[in-house]
Amino acid sequence: MARIVILKSGESIEHELLRDETVIGRHPECHIQIESNMVSRRHARVVREGDKFFVEDMKSGNGTGLNGQRIESRVQLNHDDRIKLGPMLLRFVDSSAAPSPTNLAATATIAARGPQVDFTEEGDDSALITSTLDAGSSRYGTLEVQPQAKLKAVIEISKALAGTVELERLLPRILDTLFTVFAAADRGCILLKDPATGQMAPRAMKHRRGDEDETVKLSRTIVRTVLEQKTGILSADAVTDEKFNASESIANFTIRSMMCVPLLGLDGEPLGLIHVDTQNAAKKFTKDDLDLLTAVAGQAALAYETARLIASYLEKQKSDNEMKIAAEVQRALLPEHLPQAAGYEFFASYESAQAVGGDYYDCLILPDDKVCLAFGDVAGKGVPASLVMSRLSSVVQNTLEFVQDVGEAAARINSHMCANAVEGRFVTFVLGIIDLKTNELSLVIAGHMSPMIRKVDGTIEEFPEEIVGLPVGVIHGMTFDVARRKIEPGETVVIYTDGVSEAMNAAQQLYGDERLRELVKKGSPRPSQLGAAILADVKRHAAGFQQNDDITLMVFGREAATADAQ
């Protein structure tokens, strides 16, 4: 059985829908008569087609609304839909669709689909304003006005909001407290500024009576005035004022008195606003009430900002913990131990500029007494670079398990990195294989700086630019030139990222390749000592200035004592 329920003054009047067409309006001949001068003579009709019902406006003066939205054509009705005819609220009940109607709680809530606010600019909204109060001059209004009432209200809202740090719970509590402070309030809502769009969006709403329409109507002009001028506004009795009889927007407000004040942040800028209104003509708000609401709004804004800061802090803590885990995962991708090969020593160090980074190195023991050295620098820093780095690590290990020719391995690694590559995320890369039997180093340099080779006499040798190819992940199907050189006893090889050479101090001076060459020349031939000396010198140059890029270093060499043994 379907019926229309008229909600009026807390009572429910039911009308069964027994006809194929049920006309609703003010005229006595209507099937459902509503006595209100804001309802048209023949306002709307409900049409039955089979087991479905539809509502249609009949060119009424104040329009027909459905669930807070004005309708322009026939719309199908569903169980518990709200129909608004001017100021009158009706509910459509279909017993076949649900066993019982929805019970509307009379406490402040944040609706699942969001509180509904209807903005309008029709009519001369400025004439509604009977009093204003500059909220920007003082967070708590004019202190000499109602000091005892203000103190009591501020204490009341402080007690109500104490310990509440969840924004979803805080905003309804603010409205609940306001309804305690202002016994005449019938409806209230809180709008907050959306940080993404800068627009005001409803976040919480409260109705004193459970049969109220869920929609609160606000004047866009008043909202704009409150926010731009940081001014609290008190309205007049707009419904009975002759100046507004022809204004549909005012008629639809169905309010007798209204207050609207800004929620000001610590910087004095509006975070949002609080709107409170009453439909009781005998209990209009006064200028003292406006001043009192301004004081309460100041404390509410402070509580909101505190909750928002706590929420931001907790979110940052969560993010920091996740980044800490990500850093541990990335560290696990680097070799736990460097190779132990007779006659050779290996050293490596990795320091990311952020929690995670895009530098990479690896050392793999291959069959037939060979050692593979992989070294890379992903374009960029942070999480995106670290994801590319993790993929490179997997690709290198999988490729070298089956391919031990350095040129072919580099080509396959490049092809894998080009597949589904993210634009701009290329990798400068060095791949080398040392044959421990012949002491020959086979090397591919893909867009990276040439390694520095420190000879026994202290001079520095670098590979020519002609053999340096494009970075990995740029062009699919690339081939790479292979440089081969025997590592002599006592020689040391240094591979580094630009985080070393471009380390900066407070004077914006770079560490530089030349300073690195001089240090390598004069440093110890032992890789562990030379590597530690380079890192210490880079830090000395930076002198505590914030690290701008990942600093990664690999040093390896052949022991000088091996020459005597051979």
Side-chain angles (χ1 to χ4, degrees), residues 336-399:
E336 186 176 356
H337 302 289
L338 296 176
Q340 300 293 319
Y344 283 84
E345 183 181 3
F346 297 88
F347 171 88
S349 174
Y350 170 76
E351 295 181 16
S352 61
Q354 301 177 17
V356 291
D359 282 4
Y360 157 79
Y361 73 86
D362 205 350
C363 293
L364 308 171
I365 298 292
L366 303 179
D368 299 327
D369 288 335
K370 293 181 180 178
V371 175
C372 173
L373 308 171
F375 194 89
D377 184 358
V378 179
K381 297 181 288 295
V383 174
S386 72
L387 294 175
V388 178
M389 175 270 194
S390 63
R391 184 182 180 197
L392 176 64
S393 172
S394 176
V395 168
V396 168
Q397 293 193 17
N398 290 334
T399 301

Side-chain angles (χ1 to χ4, degrees), residues 402-438:
F402 302 100
V403 181
Q404 296 181 17
D405 178 84
V406 71
E408 183 182 352
R412 292 196 182 188
I413 291 168
N414 176 67
S415 296
H416 281 295
M417 296 302 292
C418 284
N420 301 319
V422 179
E423 184 178 354
R425 294 293 174 181
F426 59 85
V427 185
T428 63
F429 187 58
V430 175
L431 183 66
I433 294 179
I434 304 172
D435 188 332
L436 299 178
K437 294 178 181 177
T438 63

